[in-house]
Structure formats: C-alpha cells, structure tokens
Amino acid sequence: VVAARAYGLRPVDGPFGDIADPDGYKAQCNRGAVLGCEGKWAIHPSQVALANEVYSPSEAEVTKANRILEAMDKAQREGLGAVSLDGKLIDIASIKQAEQIVKKSEAIAAAAM
C-alpha cells in the first residue's frame, strides 16, 4: 500500500479464491480497506456487490464530506484562516479526505447511470 501510494498508484487488494465463502471474501475486503486499499479484485460476479458494499462511501460519510467542503468554502469566502465543524478543526488532511470521498461517490453514481 505504501509503495503504491508513493508512486501515485491506487492500491487494490488481490483475489480471494473461495467463491463459495462470501463472509470470508467480505472479511478480506474489510481487512484490505483497513490497510488502505481502495478496492479488491472480484473473480466471480457474486463478489462484486460485496466489494462495492465495503469500498463505497456510506451516505453518512458523503454527507459529512460535503459539510466539510462547504465549511471550508464559507471560511475562504469570509477570509478566515482556519475553520471548525462540529467543534473540530478542519485541516488540510480533512479537506483532502473529504474531496476524495465526494469524488468517489460521484464516480460511483455516474457509473450507475
């Protein structure tokens, strides 16, 4: 994961061969997500929905990400150097994460059309 990120690549977890074990596949997806992977190979159609479930941002995550970006935009319009949301400081890392979540959500929505 670190090597992929260092070269600007998006890490994707490898295959899970037991297509008859959806719980095992989902557990492997969760493990990959915790380690920083952005997806997992699906070698059987039954694995696609499970991977999408784990690696797609939830509605709550997208809502929070949009709120972060809106708060930062408002702060910039008002000339503020720092901004908080719900009592927490929004830093550049929060903004970058929020941008990625929104971008991923928009890509998923576009692909579904």
Side-chain angles (χ1 to χ4, degrees):
V1 173
V2 174
R5 297 279 186 206
Y7 286 94
L9 302 173
R10 299 171 64 197
V12 176
D13 197 13
F16 181 79
D18 189 351
I19 61 173
D21 183 7
D23 292 333
Y25 180 79
K26 190 170 179 181
Q28 288 292 315
C29 285
N30 285 320
R31 185 173 296 117
V34 167
L35 292 173
C37 291
E38 292 189 29
K40 181 159 184 66
W41 287 16
I43 61 170
H44 189 270
S46 66
Q47 296 174 331
V48 174
L50 296 169
N52 286 341
E53 179 184 334
V54 172
Y55 287 101
S56 297
S58 69
E59 188 174 326
E61 290 171 318
V62 175
T63 298
K64 182 177 180 182
N66 279 315
R67 290 183 64 226
I68 288 170
L69 297 176
E70 289 165 6
M72 194 60 201
D73 285 343
K74 181 181 178 197
Q76 287 177 337
R77 285 192 309 274
E78 295 174 357
L80 301 175
V83 64
S84 65
L85 179 66
D86 301 331
K88 296 180 183 172
L89 180 66
I90 298 174
D91 59 5
I92 191 67
S94 301
I95 295 164
K96 288 184 180 282
Q97 288 174 339
E99 288 171 342
Q100 290 302 314
I101 289 169
V102 170
K103 183 177 175 183
K104 186 182 233 183
S105 173
E106 289 171 350
I108 291 168
M113 291 183 172

